[in-house]
Amino acid sequence: NTYETARAIKGMSLSVARKYLQDVCEKKRCIPFRKYVGTCGRTAQAKEFKLTQGRWPIKSAKVLLGLLKNAESNAEFKNLDTE
């Protein structure tokens, strides 16, 4: 699940990725499942990504939200751009 979640936010800016993961936790948007789709159900929310299968991995989304927060803190500490 974390593989698919990380793949979904790859290339997004920090604020967009954070908003997307918060929407996943609230089940407003789904994470598209591309690789590990053995018993994954279909959902209409996956149409956004031109796919049919998706899930809402809340635990993985919360882990990645923590990683994003940590990366942002590290960037601020080193005086780097946080976006």
Side-chain angles (χ1 to χ4, degrees), residues 49-77:
F49 307 99
K50 296 184 176 149
L51 295 169
T52 58
Q53 293 177 311
R55 284 187 178 172
W56 301 269
I58 295 172
K59 189 184 262 187
S60 297
K62 288 182 179 179
V63 166
L64 286 176
L65 277 170
L67 283 173
L68 289 176
K69 183 179 178 184
N70 190 6
E72 182 181 20
S73 297
N74 289 343
E76 287 175 358
F77 181 74

Side-chain angles (χ1 to χ4, degrees):
N1 287 346
T2 308
Y3 169 83
E4 300 286 358
T5 308
R7 188 172 173 191
I9 65 168
K10 184 178 179 181
M12 292 183 182
S13 68
L14 183 63
S15 59
V16 173
R18 185 180 293 137
K19 175 71 174 133
Y20 176 65
L21 290 175
Q22 288 171 350
D23 286 346
V24 168
C25 289
E26 296 170 4
K27 296 192 176 184
K28 292 180 180 177
R29 296 173 74 188
C30 77
I31 297 289
F33 274 57
R34 294 179 169 99
K35 187 172 182 180
Y36 300 106
V37 293
T39 59
C40 185
R42 293 180 284 186
T43 179
Q45 289 182 359
K47 288 181 184 176
E48 175 184 356
F49 307 99
K50 296 184 176 149
L51 295 169
T52 58
Q53 293 177 311
R55 284 187 178 172
W56 301 269
I58 295 172
K59 189 184 262 187
S60 297
K62 288 182 179 179
V63 166
L64 286 176
L65 277 170
L67 283 173
L68 289 176
K69 183 179 178 184
N70 190 6
E72 182 181 20
S73 297
N74 289 343
E76 287 175 358
F77 181 74
K78 294 181 179 183
N79 296 327
L80 300 174
D81 185 24
T82 57
E83 291 297 318

